[in-house]
Amino acid sequence: MSKCMALLSGLWTPELVWCLSNGPRRFSELRRDNPTITAKVLTGRLRDLEARGVLERNVLATSPPSVEYALTSLGRELLPAITSIVEVGSRLLLREASGKASEGVQPEQANMRTAPKRPSQQRTDLDAQME
Amino acid sequence: MSKCMALLSGLWTPELVWCLSNGPRRFSELRRDNPTITAKVLTGRLRDLEARGVLERNVLATSPPSVEYALTSLGRELLPAITSIVEVGSRLLLREASGKASEGVQPEQANMRTAPKRPSQQRTDLDAQME
DNA sequence: CAGTATCCTTGCGGATACTG
DNA sequence: CAGTATCCGCAAGGATACTG
């Protein structure tokens, strides 16, 4: 679970995948796309993503040498997921900007002696979706 | 971009959302679901997610008092995205387990004097999808 | 039960300088 | 151009103890 989400962990990681979403891109191009990232961090993230199989590194024999980074097919499969998170995310951020409506306070029933027991949850509906 | 992905940032955050995916759950239940999380971190993540509008905190007037956490409607919209990332993630992890096939080495053409110029990329195909 | 309060460590990311 | 090498600060998490 966390292992899988760790695919996109690390600062700048989503941006980099995003930048590669419409074609390969070189090291210096990625630097220009994200002006405030440092070379060290950029190399780090690219190496991580390469190790995880999200992108491929391709050295071109130009002079001076240039290096291209491109999403793999599995890397490309992450794009829809990213967009949907961003979609929800921006709605959430908008909600924060305009004063948070409805601080809901419903008057729960009092005086029940013990709280209800629930099973310790082995399967979730998400597990079901997975198969 | 990173702001939106930060919704699910923080260790344990995806697990917690996952645990709430099939209904509300109490503090101690969440602790049992993730045996190695500490109370401090659990409270922290829950407060974060509440502030971000992903879940709601609901104090029940039982004795002893119990607190229920439940996903909001927007929180629930994150679930499909999470599952698709996990989907790709597990395929990636499998690939690592069984020796990584095809370390592709294609013989790129040499001796071109300069590398190709590409535009500095203002819009991506993902931006197009968003509208 | 559902948390706070404190302390302490690790490591991520930024800044800066240098290289094949 | 496409990186590596160091140093540093700080915040996120873990461990542990205590509370209404």
Side-chain angles (χ1 to χ4, degrees), chain A residues 59-105:
Chain A
V59 180
L60 306 186
T62 55
S63 141
S66 52
V67 181
E68 271 199 352
Y69 296 90
L71 291 183
T72 64
S73 49
L74 282 93
R76 243 167 279 125
E77 295 183 43
L78 290 171
L79 295 174
I82 296 183
T83 56
S84 39
I85 292 186
V86 171
E87 232 263 6
V88 180
S90 19
R91 311 240 298 280
L92 253 353
L93 292 175
L94 284 180
R95 191 209 59 127
E96 284 176 30
S98 54
K100 57 191 83 170
S102 72
E103 207 58 51
V105 184

Side-chain angles (χ1 to χ4, degrees), chain A residues 25-45:
Chain A
R25 211 141 180 83
R26 298 204 322 250
F27 189 85
S28 57
E29 295 179 310
L30 291 170
R31 293 192 70 169
R32 259 172 257 123
D33 293 342
N34 320 340
T36 72
I37 196 175
T38 64
K40 175 197 164 190
V41 174
L42 178 53
T43 337
R45 292 290 81 83

Side-chain angles (χ1 to χ4, degrees), chain B residues 59-119:
Chain B
V59 180
L60 306 186
T62 55
S63 142
S66 53
V67 181
E68 270 199 352
Y69 296 90
L71 291 182
T72 63
S73 49
L74 281 93
R76 244 168 278 125
E77 294 183 44
L78 290 171
L79 295 174
I82 295 183
T83 57
S84 38
I85 292 186
V86 171
E87 233 263 5
V88 180
S90 18
R91 310 240 299 279
L92 252 355
L93 292 176
L94 284 179
R95 191 208 60 127
E96 283 176 31
S98 54
K100 56 191 82 166
S102 72
E103 207 58 49
V105 185
Q106 59 263 67
E108 65 285 338
Q109 57 260 55
N111 248 18
M112 55 169 68
R113 217 63 214 140
T114 61
K117 301 293 180 193
R118 264 189 295 267

Side-chain angles (χ1 to χ4, degrees), chain A residues 11-23:
Chain A
L11 208 46
W12 296 106
T13 305
E15 274 85 350
L16 294 180
V17 176
W18 184 282
C19 287
L20 293 175
S21 63
N22 53 358

